[in-house]
PDB file of all heavy atoms in Angstrom:
ATOM      1  N   MET A 164      84.212 101.034 100.635  1.00  0.00           N
ATOM      2  CA  MET A 164      83.688 101.625 101.866  1.00  0.00           C
ATOM      3  C   MET A 164      84.680 102.526 102.597  1.00  0.00           C
ATOM      4  O   MET A 164      85.897 102.374 102.489  1.00  0.00           O
ATOM      5  CB  MET A 164      83.209 100.519 102.809  1.00  0.00           C
ATOM      6  CG  MET A 164      82.056  99.709 102.236  1.00  0.00           C
ATOM      7  SD  MET A 164      80.600 100.728 101.888  1.00  0.00           S
ATOM      8  CE  MET A 164      80.090 101.136 103.563  1.00  0.00           C
ATOM      9  N   PHE A 165      84.111 103.467 103.398  1.00  0.00           N
ATOM     10  CA  PHE A 165      84.905 104.395 104.208  1.00  0.00           C
ATOM     11  C   PHE A 165      85.086 103.813 105.598  1.00  0.00           C
ATOM     12  O   PHE A 165      84.124 103.425 106.255  1.00  0.00           O
ATOM     13  CB  PHE A 165      84.197 105.752 104.294  1.00  0.00           C
ATOM     14  CG  PHE A 165      84.922 106.757 105.145  1.00  0.00           C
ATOM     15  CD1 PHE A 165      86.222 107.126 104.848  1.00  0.00           C
ATOM     16  CD2 PHE A 165      84.302 107.341 106.248  1.00  0.00           C
ATOM     17  CE1 PHE A 165      86.899 108.055 105.623  1.00  0.00           C
ATOM     18  CE2 PHE A 165      84.960 108.269 107.021  1.00  0.00           C
ATOM     19  CZ  PHE A 165      86.269 108.636 106.716  1.00  0.00           C
ATOM     20  N   PHE A 166      86.342 103.740 106.062  1.00  0.00           N
ATOM     21  CA  PHE A 166      86.677 103.134 107.348  1.00  0.00           C
ATOM     22  C   PHE A 166      87.144 104.151 108.392  1.00  0.00           C
ATOM     23  O   PHE A 166      87.691 103.761 109.420  1.00  0.00           O
ATOM     24  CB  PHE A 166      87.775 102.070 107.154  1.00  0.00           C
ATOM     25  CG  PHE A 166      87.306 100.820 106.467  1.00  0.00           C
ATOM     26  CD1 PHE A 166      87.224 100.765 105.077  1.00  0.00           C
ATOM     27  CD2 PHE A 166      86.949  99.697 107.184  1.00  0.00           C
ATOM     28  CE1 PHE A 166      86.802  99.609 104.427  1.00  0.00           C
ATOM     29  CE2 PHE A 166      86.528  98.535 106.547  1.00  0.00           C
ATOM     30  CZ  PHE A 166      86.447  98.495 105.169  1.00  0.00           C
ATOM     31  N   GLY A 167      86.946 105.429 108.134  1.00  0.00           N
ATOM     32  CA  GLY A 167      87.384 106.436 109.089  1.00  0.00           C
ATOM     33  C   GLY A 167      88.841 106.818 108.930  1.00  0.00           C
ATOM     34  O   GLY A 167      89.617 106.145 108.242  1.00  0.00           O
ATOM     35  N   ASN A 168      89.232 107.924 109.558  1.00  0.00           N
ATOM     36  CA  ASN A 168      90.613 108.416 109.524  1.00  0.00           C
ATOM     37  C   ASN A 168      91.173 108.511 108.103  1.00  0.00           C
ATOM     38  O   ASN A 168      92.344 108.196 107.851  1.00  0.00           O
ATOM     39  CB  ASN A 168      91.511 107.535 110.396  1.00  0.00           C
ATOM     40  CG  ASN A 168      91.292 107.792 111.876  1.00  0.00           C
ATOM     41  OD1 ASN A 168      91.538 108.881 112.374  1.00  0.00           O
ATOM     42  ND2 ASN A 168      90.790 106.792 112.582  1.00  0.00           N
ATOM     43  N   GLY A 169      90.320 108.929 107.184  1.00  0.00           N
ATOM     44  CA  GLY A 169      90.744 109.182 105.813  1.00  0.00           C
ATOM     45  C   GLY A 169      90.930 107.947 104.960  1.00  0.00           C
ATOM     46  O   GLY A 169      91.393 108.056 103.822  1.00  0.00           O
ATOM     47  N   ALA A 170      90.574 106.762 105.467  1.00  0.00           N
ATOM     48  CA  ALA A 170      90.829 105.516 104.741  1.00  0.00           C
ATOM     49  C   ALA A 170      89.577 105.049 104.001  1.00  0.00           C
ATOM     50  O   ALA A 170      88.559 104.755 104.619  1.00  0.00           O
ATOM     51  CB  ALA A 170      91.298 104.431 105.705  1.00  0.00           C
ATOM     52  N   TYR A 171      89.680 104.967 102.686  1.00  0.00           N
ATOM     53  CA  TYR A 171      88.616 104.422 101.854  1.00  0.00           C
ATOM     54  C   TYR A 171      89.077 103.078 101.309  1.00  0.00           C
ATOM     55  O   TYR A 171      90.126 102.979 100.676  1.00  0.00           O
ATOM     56  CB  TYR A 171      88.304 105.362 100.684  1.00  0.00           C
ATOM     57  CG  TYR A 171      87.560 106.616 101.073  1.00  0.00           C
ATOM     58  CD1 TYR A 171      88.246 107.715 101.575  1.00  0.00           C
ATOM     59  CD2 TYR A 171      86.174 106.708 100.948  1.00  0.00           C
ATOM     60  CE1 TYR A 171      87.572 108.875 101.947  1.00  0.00           C
ATOM     61  CE2 TYR A 171      85.497 107.861 101.311  1.00  0.00           C
ATOM     62  CZ  TYR A 171      86.200 108.935 101.800  1.00  0.00           C
ATOM     63  OH  TYR A 171      85.535 110.076 102.178  1.00  0.00           O
ATOM     64  N   GLY A 172      88.299 102.051 101.562  1.00  0.00           N
ATOM     65  CA  GLY A 172      88.667 100.721 101.093  1.00  0.00           C
ATOM     66  C   GLY A 172      89.479  99.976 102.138  1.00  0.00           C
ATOM     67  O   GLY A 172      90.197 100.563 102.959  1.00  0.00           O
ATOM     68  N   ILE A 173      89.391  98.658 102.089  1.00  0.00           N
ATOM     69  CA  ILE A 173      90.007  97.803 103.092  1.00  0.00           C
ATOM     70  C   ILE A 173      91.534  97.862 103.062  1.00  0.00           C
ATOM     71  O   ILE A 173      92.194  97.734 104.103  1.00  0.00           O
ATOM     72  CB  ILE A 173      89.508  96.340 102.921  1.00  0.00           C
ATOM     73  CG1 ILE A 173      89.922  95.461 104.095  1.00  0.00           C
ATOM     74  CG2 ILE A 173      89.974  95.762 101.589  1.00  0.00           C
ATOM     75  CD1 ILE A 173      89.209  95.772 105.380  1.00  0.00           C
ATOM     76  N   GLU A 174      92.128  98.066 101.893  1.00  0.00           N
ATOM     77  CA  GLU A 174      93.594  98.134 101.820  1.00  0.00           C
ATOM     78  C   GLU A 174      94.110  99.369 102.547  1.00  0.00           C
ATOM     79  O   GLU A 174      95.042  99.282 103.363  1.00  0.00           O
ATOM     80  CB  GLU A 174      94.050  98.142 100.358  1.00  0.00           C
ATOM     81  CG  GLU A 174      95.561  98.226 100.166  1.00  0.00           C
ATOM     82  CD  GLU A 174      96.306  96.966 100.575  1.00  0.00           C
ATOM     83  OE1 GLU A 174      95.656  95.917 100.751  1.00  0.00           O
ATOM     84  OE2 GLU A 174      97.538  97.030 100.711  1.00  0.00           O
ATOM     85  N   ALA A 175      93.514 100.530 102.278  1.00  0.00           N
ATOM     86  CA  ALA A 175      93.914 101.756 102.967  1.00  0.00           C
ATOM     87  C   ALA A 175      93.642 101.637 104.465  1.00  0.00           C
ATOM     88  O   ALA A 175      94.421 102.124 105.290  1.00  0.00           O
ATOM     89  CB  ALA A 175      93.184 102.963 102.389  1.00  0.00           C
ATOM     90  N   ALA A 176      92.533 100.981 104.835  1.00  0.00           N
ATOM     91  CA  ALA A 176      92.198 100.812 106.248  1.00  0.00           C
ATOM     92  C   ALA A 176      93.239  99.947 106.956  1.00  0.00           C
ATOM     93  O   ALA A 176      93.681 100.266 108.074  1.00  0.00           O
ATOM     94  CB  ALA A 176      90.815 100.192 106.387  1.00  0.00           C
ATOM     95  N   ALA A 177      93.641  98.847 106.324  1.00  0.00           N
ATOM     96  CA  ALA A 177      94.642  97.963 106.916  1.00  0.00           C
ATOM     97  C   ALA A 177      95.957  98.704 107.131  1.00  0.00           C
ATOM     98  O   ALA A 177      96.621  98.548 108.166  1.00  0.00           O
ATOM     99  CB  ALA A 177      94.848  96.742 106.019  1.00  0.00           C
ATOM    100  N   GLN A 178      96.337  99.540 106.164  1.00  0.00           N
ATOM    101  CA  GLN A 178      97.564 100.322 106.283  1.00  0.00           C
ATOM    102  C   GLN A 178      97.428 101.401 107.346  1.00  0.00           C
ATOM    103  O   GLN A 178      98.361 101.671 108.107  1.00  0.00           O
ATOM    104  CB  GLN A 178      97.915 100.950 104.925  1.00  0.00           C
ATOM    105  CG  GLN A 178      98.271  99.970 103.837  1.00  0.00           C
ATOM    106  CD  GLN A 178      99.620  99.306 104.045  1.00  0.00           C
ATOM    107  OE1 GLN A 178     100.400  99.684 104.913  1.00  0.00           O
ATOM    108  NE2 GLN A 178      99.919  98.292 103.225  1.00  0.00           N
ATOM    109  N   THR A 179      96.251 102.046 107.394  1.00  0.00           N
ATOM    110  CA  THR A 179      96.041 103.166 108.316  1.00  0.00           C
ATOM    111  C   THR A 179      96.054 102.718 109.771  1.00  0.00           C
ATOM    112  O   THR A 179      96.650 103.373 110.629  1.00  0.00           O
ATOM    113  CB  THR A 179      94.696 103.860 108.014  1.00  0.00           C
ATOM    114  OG1 THR A 179      94.750 104.412 106.689  1.00  0.00           O
ATOM    115  CG2 THR A 179      94.407 104.979 108.999  1.00  0.00           C
ATOM    116  N   TYR A 180      95.418 101.592 110.069  1.00  0.00           N
ATOM    117  CA  TYR A 180      95.270 101.159 111.457  1.00  0.00           C
ATOM    118  C   TYR A 180      96.315 100.145 111.904  1.00  0.00           C
ATOM    119  O   TYR A 180      96.655 100.077 113.091  1.00  0.00           O
ATOM    120  CB  TYR A 180      93.873 100.568 111.670  1.00  0.00           C
ATOM    121  CG  TYR A 180      92.774 101.591 111.551  1.00  0.00           C
ATOM    122  CD1 TYR A 180      92.058 101.734 110.364  1.00  0.00           C
ATOM    123  CD2 TYR A 180      92.447 102.428 112.607  1.00  0.00           C
ATOM    124  CE1 TYR A 180      91.047 102.682 110.240  1.00  0.00           C
ATOM    125  CE2 TYR A 180      91.451 103.384 112.495  1.00  0.00           C
ATOM    126  CZ  TYR A 180      90.756 103.500 111.305  1.00  0.00           C
ATOM    127  OH  TYR A 180      89.762 104.457 111.186  1.00  0.00           O
ATOM    128  N   TYR A 181      96.836  99.360 110.953  1.00  0.00           N
ATOM    129  CA  TYR A 181      97.748  98.278 111.332  1.00  0.00           C
ATOM    130  C   TYR A 181      99.081  98.283 110.590  1.00  0.00           C
ATOM    131  O   TYR A 181      99.963  97.487 110.931  1.00  0.00           O
ATOM    132  CB  TYR A 181      97.061  96.923 111.124  1.00  0.00           C
ATOM    133  CG  TYR A 181      95.879  96.718 112.039  1.00  0.00           C
ATOM    134  CD1 TYR A 181      94.580  96.773 111.540  1.00  0.00           C
ATOM    135  CD2 TYR A 181      96.053  96.487 113.398  1.00  0.00           C
ATOM    136  CE1 TYR A 181      93.481  96.592 112.386  1.00  0.00           C
ATOM    137  CE2 TYR A 181      94.964  96.301 114.245  1.00  0.00           C
ATOM    138  CZ  TYR A 181      93.685  96.362 113.737  1.00  0.00           C
ATOM    139  OH  TYR A 181      92.608  96.190 114.564  1.00  0.00           O
ATOM    140  N   GLY A 182      99.225  99.118 109.576  1.00  0.00           N
ATOM    141  CA  GLY A 182     100.476  99.154 108.831  1.00  0.00           C
ATOM    142  C   GLY A 182     100.749  97.870 108.072  1.00  0.00           C
ATOM    143  O   GLY A 182     101.902  97.470 107.895  1.00  0.00           O
ATOM    144  N   LYS A 183      99.693  97.186 107.622  1.00  0.00           N
ATOM    145  CA  LYS A 183      99.857  95.942 106.872  1.00  0.00           C
ATOM    146  C   LYS A 183      98.868  95.913 105.712  1.00  0.00           C
ATOM    147  O   LYS A 183      98.000  96.776 105.610  1.00  0.00           O
ATOM    148  CB  LYS A 183      99.647  94.729 107.776  1.00  0.00           C
ATOM    149  CG  LYS A 183      98.261  94.669 108.426  1.00  0.00           C
ATOM    150  CD  LYS A 183      98.003  93.321 109.100  1.00  0.00           C
ATOM    151  CE  LYS A 183      99.027  92.948 110.113  1.00  0.00           C
ATOM    152  NZ  LYS A 183      98.699  91.658 110.796  1.00  0.00           N
ATOM    153  N   THR A 184      98.991  94.913 104.867  1.00  0.00           N
ATOM    154  CA  THR A 184      98.089  94.795 103.729  1.00  0.00           C
ATOM    155  C   THR A 184      96.772  94.163 104.153  1.00  0.00           C
ATOM    156  O   THR A 184      96.687  93.484 105.186  1.00  0.00           O
ATOM    157  CB  THR A 184      98.712  93.935 102.621  1.00  0.00           C
ATOM    158  OG1 THR A 184      98.866  92.596 103.100  1.00  0.00           O
ATOM    159  CG2 THR A 184     100.072  94.483 102.194  1.00  0.00           C
ATOM    160  N   ALA A 185      95.757  94.341 103.331  1.00  0.00           N
ATOM    161  CA  ALA A 185      94.434  93.768 103.610  1.00  0.00           C
ATOM    162  C   ALA A 185      94.483  92.244 103.635  1.00  0.00           C
ATOM    163  O   ALA A 185      93.708  91.605 104.348  1.00  0.00           O
ATOM    164  CB  ALA A 185      93.430  94.243 102.568  1.00  0.00           C
ATOM    165  N   LYS A 186      95.390  91.674 102.886  1.00  0.00           N
ATOM    166  CA  LYS A 186      95.483  90.218 102.815  1.00  0.00           C
ATOM    167  C   LYS A 186      95.977  89.622 104.125  1.00  0.00           C
ATOM    168  O   LYS A 186      95.685  88.460 104.450  1.00  0.00           O
ATOM    169  CB  LYS A 186      96.418  89.815 101.671  1.00  0.00           C
ATOM    170  CG  LYS A 186      96.386  88.332 101.319  1.00  0.00           C
ATOM    171  CD  LYS A 186      97.180  88.066 100.046  1.00  0.00           C
ATOM    172  CE  LYS A 186      97.017  86.623  99.603  1.00  0.00           C
ATOM    173  NZ  LYS A 186      97.694  86.366  98.301  1.00  0.00           N
ATOM    174  N   MET A 187      96.715  90.413 104.928  1.00  0.00           N
ATOM    175  CA  MET A 187      97.348  89.904 106.141  1.00  0.00           C
ATOM    176  C   MET A 187      96.513  90.116 107.403  1.00  0.00           C
ATOM    177  O   MET A 187      96.936  89.752 108.499  1.00  0.00           O
ATOM    178  CB  MET A 187      98.720  90.563 106.317  1.00  0.00           C
ATOM    179  CG  MET A 187      99.684  90.316 105.176  1.00  0.00           C
ATOM    180  SD  MET A 187      99.989  88.556 104.896  1.00  0.00           S
ATOM    181  CE  MET A 187     100.806  88.117 106.438  1.00  0.00           C
ATOM    182  N   LEU A 188      95.319  90.683 107.292  1.00  0.00           N
ATOM    183  CA  LEU A 188      94.489  90.945 108.470  1.00  0.00           C
ATOM    184  C   LEU A 188      94.059  89.635 109.138  1.00  0.00           C
ATOM    185  O   LEU A 188      93.601  88.716 108.479  1.00  0.00           O
ATOM    186  CB  LEU A 188      93.248  91.737 108.064  1.00  0.00           C
ATOM    187  CG  LEU A 188      93.486  93.180 107.587  1.00  0.00           C
ATOM    188  CD1 LEU A 188      92.205  93.745 106.973  1.00  0.00           C
ATOM    189  CD2 LEU A 188      93.972  94.061 108.737  1.00  0.00           C
ATOM    190  N   ASN A 189      94.203  89.577 110.468  1.00  0.00           N
ATOM    191  CA  ASN A 189      93.777  88.376 111.194  1.00  0.00           C
ATOM    192  C   ASN A 189      92.342  88.531 111.690  1.00  0.00           C
ATOM    193  O   ASN A 189      91.636  89.475 111.304  1.00  0.00           O
ATOM    194  CB  ASN A 189      94.751  88.061 112.334  1.00  0.00           C
ATOM    195  CG  ASN A 189      94.803  89.177 113.373  1.00  0.00           C
ATOM    196  OD1 ASN A 189      93.860  89.970 113.506  1.00  0.00           O
ATOM    197  ND2 ASN A 189      95.888  89.256 114.116  1.00  0.00           N
TER     198      ASN A 189
END
C-alpha cells in the first residue's frame, strides 16, 4: 500500500514518518 510522501509499503512508511523499522511501530 501507498502511505503518502513517496512511501510505498509499511517499512518505507515507518522510515519516512518515524525513522524506524516497521517492526518497531507502537
Side-chain angles (χ1 to χ4, degrees):
M164 297 300 291
F165 178 58
F166 288 83
N168 285 297
Y171 287 83
I173 190 70
E174 179 70 15
Q178 294 289 351
T179 297
Y180 293 98
Y181 295 107
K183 60 169 56 177
T184 65
K186 191 171 187 175
M187 300 302 295
L188 292 169
N189 62 23

